[in-house]
Amino acid sequence: MPRLPLVSTVDKLEGAAWLDPAAGTVSRIVKKVLPQGSVTDALHGVPLGHPVHPLMVTVPLGAWVSAAVLDVLPGNERAAKTLVALGVLSAMPTALTGVTDFSQLDTLQQRTGVVHEASTAVATVLYAASWLARKRGNHGSGKLLGFAGLAVAGIGGFLGGHLSYRQGAGVNRNEDLPEEVPAGWHSLGPVEAFPAGRPRTAQLGSVPVMVLRREGMEGQDANDDGVSVLADTCSHLGGPLHEGHLQETRGQLCVVCPWHGSAFSVESGEVMRGPATAPQPVFRTRIRDGHLEVNLTGSED
């Protein structure tokens, strides 16, 4: 018997290839209806700097939990019905943010995610039926449907937590970088080893970085050494940025992740297009005796 039987059971979803057709269908529909752009970025949470879906989830779940509390107390039928309705209505935009994130996950995450989506959809249907029963004056059936909906929503919530905290969906892949890179300046080798105008990779100890010599490119400052160095691991799901391409996005030169299309400014690391919500760490650079040196901490030593 595994030590954590519930988690171990959910772990098996990662190997459930039979879920791929359903997951793929949902993903394709979302990408077709919501192509990359400002609306999609807002649904991912790019303006907030982290995914917006977890924030949205608090509204329907909070309303439904509150309705359940009122259902076990006498004389609160009207208030409980109002909270059930609030939960159902807020579940719709919440689901929209969720499927937007879902469409940009990897295969193993999507297998868990599609079951999470199905659970929350069933919970919403049960609560909609609960509201309808209450509206017709059948509060007993409305309460039973509400408690059933809360149980299913709890399953969906557990799967959502598993997806985020066990499988790492939506987390910043570069959060530990300051602990992995020693303070001070470090050489990446001769600057001429990096061809101009093309992203290249280099190793700073165990940390991969992306190096871009911007010599001759538009917008270069006279005091700029003409080199941009970013963490090579995309903050979204870990894609290798040096394998991406360069493009102009919202007036800034960006590197585009080859996995899911996140665009980062090569100078500031700012997210210019999602699904990534966390910026890319950017290294300070200098050239000493023909060698490219980088510094993450900002120390002058």
Side-chain angles (χ1 to χ4, degrees), residues 6 23 31 36 56 70 99 120 149 176 190 220 237 240 269:
L6 183 58
K31 290 177 180 177
Q36 285 186 323
M56 297 287 290
L70 294 181
V99 296
T120 54
D176 294 335
Q220 183 176 331
L237 281 182

Side-chain angles (χ1 to χ4, degrees), residues 67-69 71-72 127 130 134 142-152:
V69 173
D71 278 342
V72 298
Y127 269 109
S130 173
R134 295 167 196 260
K143 290 179 180 181
L144 291 176
L145 287 166
F147 288 130
L150 186 60
V152 177

Side-chain angles (χ1 to χ4, degrees), residues 199 210-212 214 217 227-230 241 245-247 252-256 263-270 272 280-283:
M210 187 208 81
V211 180
L212 174 66
R214 294 178 283 104
M217 293 185 173
V227 183
S228 293
V229 179
L230 288 71
L241 290 189
H245 65 276
L246 302 175
Q247 71 175 37
Q252 294 197 39
L253 179 63
C254 295
V255 59
V256 179
F264 304 93
S265 166
V266 298
E267 295 188 48
S268 67
E270 178 186 358
M272 305 305 294
Q280 282 300 112
V282 175
F283 292 77

Side-chain angles (χ1 to χ4, degrees), residues 3-280:
R3 186 171 62 88
L4 298 172
L6 183 58
V7 174
S8 299
T9 299
V10 176
D11 279 339
K12 294 178 182 178
L13 289 175
E14 295 181 18
W18 58 271
L19 293 169
D20 291 347
T25 298
V26 173
S27 182
R28 285 192 297 272
I29 291 173
V30 173
K31 290 177 180 177
K32 184 176 181 179
V33 174
L34 295 171
Q36 285 186 323
S38 57
V39 173
T40 306
D41 282 354
L43 291 171
H44 282 305
V46 174
L48 290 180
H50 63 74
V52 71
H53 181 64
L55 176 64
M56 297 287 290
V57 164
T58 62
V59 181
L61 282 183
W64 290 338
V65 170
S66 299
V69 173
L70 294 181
D71 278 342
V72 298
L73 300 174
N76 293 298
E77 285 79 10
R78 182 178 178 182
K81 183 179 73 172
T82 301
L83 286 169
V84 168
L86 174 62
V88 171
L89 293 175
S90 61
M92 299 175 187
T94 300
L96 184 58
T97 62
V99 296
T100 303
D101 288 343
F102 168 86
S103 68
Q104 300 292 347
L105 297 178
D106 64 33
T107 299
L108 301 186
Q109 293 169 334
Q110 285 192 342
R111 290 171 182 171
T112 303
V114 75
V115 181
H116 164 70
E117 290 172 354
S119 299
T120 54
V122 170
T124 303
V125 170
L126 286 169
Y127 269 109
S130 173
W131 179 84
L132 187 61
R134 295 167 196 260
K135 185 176 183 295
R136 293 172 174 172
N138 193 344
H139 293 283
S141 294
K143 290 179 180 181
L144 291 176
L145 287 166
F147 288 130
L150 186 60
V152 177
I155 295 172
F158 180 85
L159 291 172
H162 184 91
L163 182 61
S164 296
Y165 301 116
R166 186 89 166 193
Q167 295 184 268
V171 301
N172 178 9
R173 299 298 168 126
N174 293 311
E175 179 63 25
D176 294 335
L177 197 65
E179 286 74 42
E180 296 176 2
V181 177
W185 291 93
H186 308 276
S187 175
L188 294 180
V191 68
E192 294 298 328
F194 302 99
R198 290 184 290 171
R200 286 293 182 264
T201 188
Q203 286 292 132
L204 182 54
S206 62
V207 176
V209 296
M210 187 208 81
V211 180
L212 174 66
R213 282 178 59 197
R214 294 178 283 104
E215 294 179 7
M217 293 185 173
E218 294 183 6
Q220 183 176 331
D221 189 274
N223 298 319
D224 187 357
D225 60 20
V227 183
S228 293
V229 179
L230 288 71
D232 192 42
T233 301
C234 177
S235 64
H236 174 232
L237 281 182
L241 290 189
H242 75 277
E243 295 182 7
H245 65 276
L246 302 175
Q247 71 175 37
E248 195 84 7
T249 302
R250 288 160 49 190
Q252 294 197 39
L253 179 63
C254 295
V255 59
V256 179
C257 178
W259 285 6
H260 300 97
S262 298
F264 304 93
S265 166
V266 298
E267 295 188 48
S268 67
E270 178 186 358
V271 179
M272 305 305 294
R273 187 181 67 223
T277 57
Q280 282 300 112

